[in-house]
Amino acid sequence: DYIFVAGGVNDWQLGVSLDDFRTAVNNICEYLKYHTNKEVIFITPINNASISPIEKPVAELDAYRDIIFEVATLHNCSVVNGKDFNFPNRNDNIELINYMYGDKLHPTENGYKVYSRALRTALC
C-alpha cells in the first residue's frame, strides 16, 4: 500500500549539485506517479556522524532535506523528517556513534531499530 523513499545523504556526501539533486527527486516522483497507485512517503536524511569528504561541501545537509520536502509535496507525496529521528552527529559520544552507525553515515542493526521506532512514531 505504501512506497517509502529514503535518501539524500549519499548525494550530499558525494557533492551532488542541488540542481541535479532536485532533478533526481523530481524524476523519482514523476516515475512513481505514472507507474504506481501506492501512497509515496519520502524520508529525509537522518543526522550523520561523518564529515563530508568534499573539501568544501556544495551545501549543508538541510538543503537536501529542503529539496526533498519541496519537490515531494509538490507531487502530493508525504514527507517524514529523518532529522527528527534523534541520531547522533559527529560531535556526539563515540560509543553512541558506534552503536548507531556502521560507517558514521548508515545505521547499524541497532540503529535501524531506533530508526524503525522513530518512523513508526512519525507515521502514527
Side-chain angles (χ1 to χ4, degrees), residues 6 20 23-24 27 39 49 66 77 79-80 87 89 99 108 119-120:
D20 287 348
T23 298
N27 289 345
E39 182 177 347
D66 292 344
C77 299
V79 180
V80 174
F87 272 76
N89 64 40
Y99 179 80
T108 60
L119 181 58
R120 181 183 64 219

Side-chain angles (χ1 to χ4, degrees), residues 52-102:
S52 174
I54 306 299
E55 192 169 309
K56 184 174 181 183
V58 170
E60 295 297 321
L61 186 54
D62 280 338
Y64 293 83
R65 289 183 180 113
D66 292 344
I67 288 171
I68 292 169
F69 180 81
E70 176 189 327
V71 175
T73 55
L74 280 173
H75 286 276
N76 297 315
C77 299
S78 299
V79 180
V80 174
N81 189 353
K83 188 175 183 177
D84 295 338
F85 286 12
N86 294 321
F87 272 76
N89 64 40
R90 63 181 165 264
N91 300 320
D92 285 319
N93 177 293
I94 191 66
E95 288 84 19
L96 180 61
I97 290 170
N98 289 336
Y99 179 80
M100 299 286 279
Y101 297 104

Side-chain angles (χ1 to χ4, degrees), residues 12-59:
W12 164 77
Q13 192 177 51
L14 294 172
V16 172
S17 76
L18 296 177
D19 287 339
D20 287 348
F21 185 70
R22 180 183 310 280
T23 298
V25 174
N26 189 67
N27 289 345
I28 291 168
C29 291
E30 289 289 324
Y31 179 86
L32 292 172
K33 180 170 37 176
Y34 293 109
H35 291 89
T36 186
N37 61 354
K38 308 287 186 199
E39 182 177 347
V40 178
I41 302 171
F42 280 80
I43 306 168
T44 68
I46 58 174
N47 289 334
N48 68 85
S50 174
I51 297 174
S52 174
I54 306 299
E55 192 169 309
K56 184 174 181 183
V58 170

